Each structure stands twice: as C-alpha cells, then as structure tokens.
C-alpha cells in the first residue's frame, strides 16, 4: 500500500484529535472503554479507520446531552461488526435520549426550586434541607449521624 492510499483510509491519533476536536487522551480513553478501535502499526502506533470520525461525533453528541458512556457503549455494541452509526441509527437512539434529557431537566428544575429556600440559609440541615438530604435517604438508613458513622 502506498503512503497516499494509507492516508486516505486511516488516521493517526493526532489527526483524529485535530479533526474531531477531542483530545488524544480522551480518544485513548474511548478506546480503552471499547467505544472506538484502532490497529497498531509495526511501530506500535494507533491507526483509526476514517469512519471513526463519525463514531467519535456520535459519542460526543451523546455525551453532550448527558448519556452515560455505558449506555453509549451498549448502543454502539448493537451495531453489527462494530459498524459506524448511520443517520438511521441516530434517528432511532435520539428519541430515547431526549426522554432521558427531559427527565434530567425536570430533576434540575426541582433542584433549582428547592435551592430557592436554601439561598442565604446555609443550615444544610438533614432534617429540613431538601438539598442536603433529598427525599430523606439518610433517614432510611437508620438513626444517628449516618455520614459520620459511614467513615
Ligand atoms: S441550606 Fe437551609 S434549607 Fe437548605
């Protein structure tokens, strides 16, 4: 294979970082997490198929709306032979992620509303502060200073 044809098909980690806007360290992390894959050259350098750019874009957009990496990995794992997500794949995944995003927005709105009571207060009371002890989860663990006894 000539150098020109190799360049047309594969990207170094630096090229992938430049083109995707994702740091090389994050790309290596994605690879460790099984989200993208590369082959190694004789000199042990990573080479990524060119369509990894689209896969990285899929990962970044998903992360931007708050989808955990484990969910992204599961969705990518559904694609046959490690195939890169297509427009149709995105159309199938994004409505589910919109529902998750809506749920998080509702949770944050509730948090914002409860924060109004806390502004200027500072008590962080486990008895009465909805932010310090949401839904009294510590109370369900039993009596006493649960956070101190857990240490
Ligand atoms: S800080 Fe006092 S109620 Fe939350």
């Amino acid at each position: 294979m000539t150098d020109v044809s190799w360049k047309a098909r594969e990207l170094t980690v630096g090229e992938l970082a430049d083109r995707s806007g994702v740091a090389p360290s994050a790309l290596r992390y994605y690879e460790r997490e099984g989200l993208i894959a590369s082959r190694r050259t004789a000199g042990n350098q990573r080479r990524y198929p060119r369509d990894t750019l689209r896969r990285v874009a899929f990962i970044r957009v998903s992360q931007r709306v708050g989808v955990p990496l484990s969910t992204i990995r599961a969705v990518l794992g559904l694609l046959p032979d490690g195939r890169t997500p297509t427009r149709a794949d995105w159309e199938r995944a994004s409505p589910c992620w919109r529902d998750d995003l809506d749920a998080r927005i509702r949770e944050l709105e509730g948090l914002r509303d409860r924060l109004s009571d806390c502004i200027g207060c500072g008590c962080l009371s486990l008895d009465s502060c909805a932010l310090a002890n949401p839904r009294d989860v510590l109370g369900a663990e039993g009596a006493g200073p649960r956070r101190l006894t857990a240490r």
Side-chain angles (χ1 to χ4, degrees):
M1 177 182 329
T2 67
D3 192 44
V4 172
S5 64
W6 168 85
K7 280 196 173 290
R9 294 179 48 217
E10 293 185 314
L11 300 168
T12 66
V13 68
E15 289 168 336
L16 184 58
D18 287 345
R19 296 282 304 275
S20 66
V22 176
S25 59
L27 295 170
R28 287 190 289 271
Y29 176 71
Y30 290 165
E31 191 167 349
R32 279 197 305 278
E33 292 294 310
L35 297 164
I36 61 175
S38 67
R39 74 169 181 87
R40 297 301 178 105
T41 65
N44 201 31
Q45 294 180 329
R46 291 176 165 86
R47 293 294 183 265
Y48 296 93
R50 189 159 285 271
D51 64 4
T52 305
L53 272 169
R54 185 171 176 83
R55 206 170 166 92
V56 170
F58 184 89
I59 296 164
R60 295 302 286 178
V61 170
S62 303
Q63 282 189 298
R64 188 165 292 151
V65 295
V67 178
L69 279 185
S70 57
T71 303
I72 299 169
R73 183 187 312 107
V75 169
L76 291 174
L78 295 174
L79 301 175
D81 303 323
R83 175 171 64 70
T84 290
T86 62
R87 177 185 293 259
D89 295 325
W90 176 254
E91 285 173 1
R92 275 195 298 274
S94 54
C96 304
W97 295 347
R98 185 184 54 212
D99 292 346
D100 288 349
L101 189 58
D102 287 344
R104 280 197 305 280
I105 287 170
R106 283 192 299 276
E107 191 174 325
L108 284 171
E109 285 173 342
L111 202 57
R112 180 200 58 204
D113 295 345
R114 291 194 296 275
L115 181 62
S116 300
D117 295 334
C118 296
I119 291 174
C121 175
C123 72
L124 298 176
S125 165
L126 296 183
D127 291 330
S128 58
C129 178
L131 293 180
N133 189 8
R135 294 180 221 102
D136 197 20
V137 290
L138 296 176
E141 294 176 11
R146 308 311 306 166
R147 289 192 172 131
L148 292 175
T149 56
R151 288 184 187 154

